[in-house]
């Protein structure tokens, strides 16, 4: 699965680093204000980034508030058969939620992998 990890904070970047160890071929995107992981790709607005990533990746893992991600993915939604798996994780790493394309897109399985 072509996977992107996205975080808005330094706290989330620490978790993204741990997840990237599990998936070495994933791409990591961090908000421009984040100082961790200088090798990660940077972005200014999560809504614009999501529009770029939505059709380019099979799985998107956001380490961010769920509400912000719902707003970011809403304009991109097409159909459960073509939308990528979207998982949202809290910055503390306590919860991994299958947000979109759970069954058809593999987000349910991805959420379990992220949680483990």
């Amino acid at each position: 699965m072509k996977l992107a990890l996205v975080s808005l904070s330094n706290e989330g970047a620490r978790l993204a680093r741990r997840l990237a160890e599990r998936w070495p071929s994933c791409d990591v995107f961090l908000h421009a204000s984040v100082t961790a992981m200088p090798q990660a790709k940077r972005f200014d607005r999560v809504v614009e980034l999501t529009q770029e990533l939505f059709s380019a990746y099979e799985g998107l893992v956001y380490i961010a508030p769920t509400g912000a991600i719902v707003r970011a993915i809403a304009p991109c939604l097409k159909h459960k058969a073509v939308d990528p798996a979207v998982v949202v994780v809290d910055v503390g790493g306590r919860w991994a939620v299958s947000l979109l394309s759970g069954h058809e897109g593999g987000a349910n399985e991805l959420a379990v992998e992220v949680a483990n």
Side-chain angles (χ1 to χ4, degrees):
M1 175 181 282
K2 187 174 179 189
L3 186 64
L5 304 176
V6 180
S7 180
L8 305 174
S9 68
N10 280 306
E11 245 183 331
R14 286 189 287 278
L15 183 55
R17 180 177 305 162
R18 289 177 45 210
L19 291 171
E21 291 171 3
R22 167 82 166 88
W23 295 287
S25 64
C26 74
D27 293 318
V28 178
F29 297 85
L30 300 177
H31 189 269
S33 65
V34 175
T35 57
M37 294 182 70
Q39 73 279 18
K41 299 172 185 177
R42 303 296 168 168
F43 66 92
D44 290 314
R45 297 182 42 87
V46 73
V47 172
E48 293 166 1
L49 175 70
T50 298
Q51 291 171 352
E52 293 173 26
L53 301 180
F54 210 76
S55 61
Y57 289 85
E58 297 168 288
L60 304 173
V61 177
Y62 290 90
I63 305 162
T66 303
I69 304 314
V70 167
R71 288 178 184 86
I73 67 171
C76 303
L77 300 177
K78 292 186 174 106
H79 189 273
K80 66 182 182 177
V82 297
D83 292 339
V86 177
V87 172
V88 178
V89 183
D90 71 296
V91 294
R94 293 175 303 262
W95 309 104
V97 177
S98 170
L99 189 65
L100 181 68
S101 296
H103 178 69
E104 298 242 355
N108 294 343
E109 293 84 10
L110 181 58
V112 170
E113 289 184 45
V114 167
N116 288 331

